[in-house]
Amino acid sequence: MIVEADGLCKTFRVADKAPGFAATVRHLVRRRTKDVHAVRDVSFALEAGEVVGFLGENGAGKTTTLKMLTGLVKPSAGRATVVGHTPFARRRDFLSAITLVMGNKQQLVWDLPAGDSFRIHAAVYRLDDRDVQRRVTELSEMLDITDKLTTPVRKLSLGERMKLELVASLLHQPKVLFLDEPTLGLDVNAQQTIRAFIRDYNAQHGATVLLTSHYMADITALTERVVVLHQGGLVYDGSLSSLVSSFVTTRQVVIKLRTPVDGADLAGLGAVDFHGPAELKLRVERDALQPTLAQILERLPVVDLTVTAPPVEDTIGHILKTGQSSKRVDA
Amino acid sequence: MTFLRRARAFLEVYYAYMLVYRSELLLWALAMSLPFISMGAWIKAADTGAFPLAPVEFGRYFLVVYLVRQLTVVWVVWEFEYDIVQGRLSPRLLQPADPVWHYVGGHVAERAARLPFTVVIVAFFFMLYPEAWFVPSWTETVACLALSLLAWVLRFVLQYAFAMAAFWTEKASSIEGLWQIGFLFLSGVVAPLAVFPEAVREVVLYTPFPYLIDVPVRALLGAPITLRDVLIPGAWLLVALVAQRLAWRAGLARYSSMGA
């Protein structure tokens, strides 16, 4: 296993102050704090070359876990091992084998072209100049950003900056990529380019990727396996398709009608999501789908009929909100 | 070889970065003109009272104070504080190089970028006050440069040690504000140590302040340099370095518990 989290916990102590003047004075005299359990007993492991989605609502503990795995945050309890190292020791070999890309933080020098920042990266990671040149060319071509290498970073769009952040983060060819919201705030085209890039990079270099994103399209396009956190705890670790299919117990049936029908005609056909003169949308339990479809065809003037599962985004969104997954699957 | 290559990369990149702010550099060079204000007051006073320095010697002293300040100015506490508050330290901690490389690179490169402005201001000074013209010997020049380098290293490490407070408070620079009081009055920026009462001067010479300005200035003006001028700042440097390293280690654990 190239990444292992074993019972990781992180507790932060934060100030606990009520609003108002009296509370402010009380807090000044006697400071009160409370413990926030950001991550609770999280265990999972990644094999070399895997691309895994890391899901959870805001505050679920994803970023804190990523920071523990990259050595920025020391676990309160538990153990992490990444490429054979304890992350918080931050040994050179470890730091040279990983990268963390944060969509809301930048490492490029703001006022200079990215090429200047790449020079610092090359020196810090002890890379050969010719190798760096070759990798910059290769990565910038993959991201379609070759014409932006000499433009000051502050003059670039958000998407262009993120692409160059990715180039900088991958110059040293890390074995493990921790990507924290790499498509945050980007337009659809830029999101698609970055998704394709991550997929190609993984295929070419066999790098392991742990990806967090609030855009479900990132997750569905790139990962087969997801790890889901809810309120700091792990609630699911397994395939994305199993998660969705095990959770979704209904199907949507969309019916085109030849003539309008009365509400009474729909009794026993499932929940009615929409009732129009020419169209009906019904929600039917998956287990009752076959007999219900037979009844619909027998009782209603059907012109056309389609059966669909709810969109993955809606399903995952519901799971993240409630922390509810029908079963926990170990990968 | 790795060290030199890394140093070259940092210096070249940060030199380019500083040149982006060239107009600000001119303003910063002008903004550090306090020694010229002190000079005016002391030349006037020397005309009327009994002081150990003649008016023209006061003129030269404060000109060199200006030069030494240009060579030794440090702002790492504000930069580090900003990096902590903005979360910019995290990406640097993920690289296999101490983040201090960025701060040292920025400071040294800024010195090179500021140099032309300093030369122009010094030339302008001699045009206005030609009586103060003097040419130091090469030994005086080397001694001044060496002591200025020591002063800069001491100043940098001390301020970097103060900066570590940013792990605990968002206003680490307020410590620097307190330090500035001592620096202003005891370093030689406002008054040369030569005009201090003997007993006060002896005490002040055990603090780091005079070695930041007065001692390098006097070296260029031909005053003899003693072993004490190196040993005392060297001892303070050692203390600051140990304090910085201890605070760095404790600070990183603290930073980690804040969420990095």
Side-chain angles (χ1 to χ4, degrees), chain B residues 109-125:
Chain B
E110 193 267 358
R111 224 52 31 122
R114 182 191 285 240
L115 192 63
F117 302 116
T118 306
V119 170
V120 169
I121 290 170
V122 170
F124 191 64
F125 168 83

Side-chain angles (χ1 to χ4, degrees), chain B residues 116-193:
Chain B
F117 302 116
T118 306
V119 170
V120 169
I121 290 170
V122 170
F124 191 64
F125 168 83
F126 282 124
M127 281 169 59
L128 290 177
Y129 194 26
E131 301 91 323
W133 174 258
F134 73 107
V135 179
S137 70
W138 70 268
T139 50
E140 290 161 355
T141 306
V142 169
C144 175
L145 287 175
L147 288 168
S148 294
L149 177 64
L150 178 61
W152 177 75
V153 173
L154 174 59
R155 185 84 191 86
F156 184 90
V157 176
L158 274 166
Q159 205 184 82
Y160 197 39
F162 298 157
M164 297 302 107
F167 285 121
W168 287 269
T169 169
E170 287 183 4
K171 285 290 169 198
S173 51
S174 54
I175 299 173
E176 174 64 17
L178 193 63
W179 164 274
Q180 280 292 331
I181 297 170
F183 176 76
L184 202 61
F185 293 104
L186 304 178
S187 68
V189 172
V190 172
L193 249 67

